[in-house]
Amino acid sequence: QVQLVESGGGLVQPGGSLRLSCAVSGFTLDSYGIGWFRQAPGKEREVVACISDNDGTNVANSVKGRFTISRDSVKNTLYLQMNNLKPEDTAVYYCGTDLGQYCSTSYYYTLRVNHWGKGTLVTVSS
């Protein structure tokens, strides 16, 4: 049974940092593409960053240079390091996978994902 459990969200001031974690079970993390997504109030869910089975990464333009995706195959955990956070980064952050090899930052990848965690809330505010 595929399970994804996010953690690490919270309240942070603008310019601060957070690291999100996604513990996965039921599949081998480094054999599939997987991503971080976010959904702000009143907006559609969007891809933030993703990593393919060959360790290639894709990062949304809105967070490029600030967010880094990585994974630990021993711990079967996906990470999202978020630096220089801005108020517009406020959202519920989810990890998700379609158990395919590839990933992208396109909206269509969001539609393909069919395994989701329950999300973790990130609030950036002074």
Side-chain angles (χ1 to χ4, degrees), residues 13 15 21 39 42 57 65 70 85 88 92 105-107 110 114 126:
Q13 292 187 341
S21 300
Q39 188 165 17
T57 60
S70 62
L85 282 159
E88 52 263 41
V92 178
T105 54
S106 76
Y107 172 69
T110 306
N114 55 356
S126 54

Side-chain angles (χ1 to χ4, degrees), residues 83-119:
N83 298 328
N84 190 21
L85 282 159
K86 303 177 180 181
E88 52 263 41
D89 295 318
T90 295
V92 178
Y93 284 71
Y94 302 88
C95 55
T97 181
D98 64 348
L99 294 181
Q101 292 177 287
Y102 308 110
C103 73
S104 80
T105 54
S106 76
Y107 172 69
Y108 299 103
Y109 180 60
T110 306
L111 297 180
R112 293 207 325 258
V113 170
N114 55 356
H115 298 282
W116 296 99
K118 292 185 178 181

Side-chain angles (χ1 to χ4, degrees), residues 30 59 61 80 91 120:
D30 59 359
V59 182
N61 288 333
L80 184 69
T120 186

